[in-house]
């Protein structure tokens, strides 16, 4: 087991190596303080909790950050997990450190109606702090990196959910900050838990071919070194195999096996000056054959995350393509540690204001306005972390947009007034449709008019960036409230009917305040308006109040519960006509004429509340409950077993989880497993098993077992899964 002494000494050595001017007495004081605050707390592996802050501080020190950042890393969990306050940290270690710790702290003590809302608020809080001091997010990434390194001690469900969050948020965020080394480790480790079989197949292949790979890289490295030495260029040359997740993505995107992939190798040439970079490029192209269209100059046009390098793909005499990256030492530091490397060169203070140059941080904060929590979290992947295109205004200014963006996205990236007044667009001096996909180097001109009617609702489906979508929704919210109410009400009532609810029940004087509180609106018109302008979908609105609607309809159907003589036929009674015969239930099921017996649910059909069910008396295991449409229940008329089939029905007031299974038919594509896992995570259901396998003809099948309360929740989850791109079917599992 890891010990405090080992981690403490390792942290000290790292600090002295990367930050020799650090205030070690103050750091030691913070170590003692954090150790005292976390006294008695343990990690999942049983080690003292203080080991985690020490490890995070060491990662922060490797980034080359200052004493305040190291202190913030050591204390980053104190406010969240102990009785420590912001004021106490400010008094002992200064207000800057207190702000860093506060920025990293989650909003765990605030109640939210959904997991997505809590995640959005935590991210928004972090980005707000990040806009003031970039070190907040650097500490948070270091925190996630160490948690990822110790993921083996978590439960399988936690491993999947945390790895999904890492892939969705933290790895792309590290990429956006230019921290490629950390990004690769986050991706590779997360893949190990999200697709262990795929990860292991790649590792087995790389281990089996390690000798020949090393020989190839040594040969290429020697050839480049000899050439550069002969012309007097001093540089460091080394080769590597691309990281596991990069290979995994190539296999999925190109639908190839490891044997069919060739572009597995990358070489770096690090030299002293920029002119040397271009000289090396000429020699590389002289030594090897250039692959057309695979040269990129990020030195003259750096990426938004400050990355600079020359990239070229060539083919050697063995016929194997490989990439060569050429950069200076300073560029290399930035490529490895991104904004962290850049930050340590700045002198004085809290971020020195350079964070304002990260326009995407402002867009992150702006895009959360009038946005549903689930949409906001999802949009981060598209708006901030996807591949980008660089297009130009007619004056030559560069605008970076998410890949797949259209002139609508371009217009709103310039200013909301330009987008709202847009009547047309030109791409490369030719009139273009609003849904034209922009490419790198396009020159885009937006045509506007004072008489423009404003954006169309169709634009919401055309635009790619969340920034544009948010501004369009804001326009509709401001300009078209009456129209939004009409559209929203129609959508909401239609969704109510699709879920077998009478829309009129929302007007009940007792029920309406409960529903509005659940949805966080003051009146129905506000809710309808939000649905109308796109701030909330009708599906999500009904989903959030489903439990209250079910409870209400059951109440008006049950004369005893409501004191009424006649049932109100607002919804079909899911408990059957004889629900009152026996009041004693076992596992949520009542067996007629048998007061108490052992109940088990058949694994062949996994019934859940709301399914029509029947019972079968087993030998020694009580009553086995099947769905009425289960193939194993179709022989109920067989006279040899007819006496063993007994009527059963669901108890009304049970609120316990039931395990069920869905089988998904899919078209094979990269990232589909992650999308399925994301839907299950956001639905807040407990996944017990998630497996998948490829089938001939480009198809795949996934089987997911999870807990639900009733068939209504199951149907809602099934509907969400069917909305995933390339999921073409979803059915209840049956053997």
């Amino acid at each position: 087991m890891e010990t405090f002494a080992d981690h403490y000494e390792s942290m000290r050595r790292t600090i002295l190596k990367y930050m020799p001017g650090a205030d070690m007495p103050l750091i030691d004081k913070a170590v003692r303080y954090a150790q005292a605050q976390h006294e008695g707390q343990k990690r999942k592996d049983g080690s003292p909790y203080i080991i985690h802050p020490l490890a995070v501080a060491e990662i922060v020190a490797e980034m080359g950050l200052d004493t305040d950042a190291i202190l913030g890393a050591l204390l980053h969990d104190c406010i969240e997990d102990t009785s420590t306050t912001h004021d106490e940290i400010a008094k002992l270690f200064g207000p800057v450190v207190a702000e860093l710790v506060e920025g990293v702290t989650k909003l765990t003590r605030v109640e939210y109606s959904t997991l997505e809302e809590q995640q959005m608020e935590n991210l928004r809080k972090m980005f707000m702090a990040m806009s003031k001091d970039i070190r907040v997010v650097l500490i948070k990434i270091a925190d996630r990196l160490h948690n990822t390194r110790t993921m083996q001690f978590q439960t399988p469900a936690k491993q999947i959910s945390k790895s999904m969050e890492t892939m969705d948020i933290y790895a792309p965020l590290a990429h956006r900050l230019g921290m490629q080394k950390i990004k690769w480790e986050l991706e590779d480790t997360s893949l190990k838990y999200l697709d262990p079989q795929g990860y292991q197949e790649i590792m087995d292949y790389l281990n089996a071919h390690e000798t020949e790979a090393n020989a190839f890289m040594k040969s290429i490295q020697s050839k480049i070194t000899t050439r550069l030495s002969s012309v007097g260029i001093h540089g460091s040359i080394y080769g590597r195999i691309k990281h596991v997740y990069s290979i995994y993505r190539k296999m999925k995107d190109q639908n190839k096996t490891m044997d069919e992939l060739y572009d597995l190798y990358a070489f770096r040439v690090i030299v002293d000056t920029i002119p040397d970079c271009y000289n090396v490029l000429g020699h590389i192209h002289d030594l090897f054959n250039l692959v057309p269209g695979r040269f990129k100059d990020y030195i003259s046009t750096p990426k938004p995350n400050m990355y600079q390098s020359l990239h070229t793909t060539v083919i050697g005499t063995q016929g194997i393509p490989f990439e060569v990256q050429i950069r200076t030492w300073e560029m290399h530091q930035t490529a490895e540690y991104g904004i962290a490397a850049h930050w340590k060169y700045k002198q004085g203070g809290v971020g020195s204001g350079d964070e304002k140059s990260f326009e995407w941080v402002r867009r992150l904060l702006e895009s959360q306005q009038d946005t549903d929590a689930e949409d906001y979290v999802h949009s981060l992947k598209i708006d901030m972390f996807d591949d980008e295109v660089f297009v130009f205004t007619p004056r030559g200014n560069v605008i970076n947009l998410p890949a797949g963006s259209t002139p609508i996205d371009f217009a709103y990236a310039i200013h909301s007034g330009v987008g709202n007044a847009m009547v047309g667009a030109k791409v490369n001096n030719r009139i273009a449709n609003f849904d034209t996909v922009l490419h790198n180097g396009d020159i885009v001109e937006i045509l506007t008019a004072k008489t423009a009617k404003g954006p169309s609702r169709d634009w919401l489906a055309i635009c790619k960036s969340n920034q544009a979508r948010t501004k369009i929704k804001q326009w509709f919210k401001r300009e078209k409230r009456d129209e939004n109410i009409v559209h929203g009400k129609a959508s909401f009532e239609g969704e109510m009917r699709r879920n077998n609810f009478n829309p009129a029940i929302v007007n009940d004087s007792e029920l309406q305040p409960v529903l509005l509180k659940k949805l966080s609106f003051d009146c129905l018109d506000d809710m309808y308006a939000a649905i109308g302008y796109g701030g909330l979908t009708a599906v999500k609105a009904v989903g959030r109040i489903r439990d209250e609607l079910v409870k209400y309809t059951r109440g008006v159907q049950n004369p005893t519960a409501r004191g009424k003589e006649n049932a109100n036929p607002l919804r079909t009674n899911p408990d059957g006509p004889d629900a009152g015969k026996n009041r004693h239930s076992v596992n949520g099921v009542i067996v007629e004429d048998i007061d108490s017996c052992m109940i088990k649910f058949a694994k062949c059909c996994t019934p859940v509340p709301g399914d029509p069910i029947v019972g079968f008396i087993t030998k020694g295991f009580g009553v086995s409950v099947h769905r009425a449409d289960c193939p194993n229940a179709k022989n109920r008329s067989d006279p040899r077993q007819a006496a063993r089939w007994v009527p059963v029905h669901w108890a009304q007031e049970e609120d316990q989880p039931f395990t069920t299974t869905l089988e998904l038919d899919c078209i094979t594509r990269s990232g589909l497993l992650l999308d399925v896992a994301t839907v299950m995570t956001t639905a807040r259901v407990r996944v017990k098993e998630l497996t998948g396998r490829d089938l001939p003809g480009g198809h795949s099948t996934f089987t997911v077992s999870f807990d639900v309360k009733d068939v209504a929740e199951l149907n809602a989850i099934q509907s969400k899964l069917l909305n995933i791109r390339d999921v073409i079917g979803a059915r209840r599992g049956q053997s």
Side-chain angles (χ1 to χ4, degrees), residues 215-228:
F216 171 75
M217 289 188 291
K218 186 176 179 180
S219 168
I220 297 298
Q221 182 176 337
S222 175
K223 200 167 188 176
I224 296 174
T225 301
T226 302
R227 168 60 72 91
L228 297 188

Side-chain angles (χ1 to χ4, degrees), residues 182-201:
I182 290 176
K183 173 207 174 217
W184 292 338
E185 184 176 350
L186 290 173
E187 288 177 338
D188 285 358
T189 310
S190 298
L191 178 64
K192 190 191 315 185
Y193 298 105
L194 292 173
D195 190 353
Q197 182 178 348
Y199 176 88
Q200 195 57 49
E201 286 177 0

Side-chain angles (χ1 to χ4, degrees), residues 124-143:
R124 188 183 67 83
K125 177 176 180 285
M126 182 178 72
F127 289 131
M128 283 286 288
M130 172 186 170
S131 67
K132 300 173 185 175
D133 192 334
I134 201 71
R135 290 173 295 181
V136 168
V137 78
L138 299 180
I139 295 170
K140 189 63 182 176
I141 288 175
D143 172 49

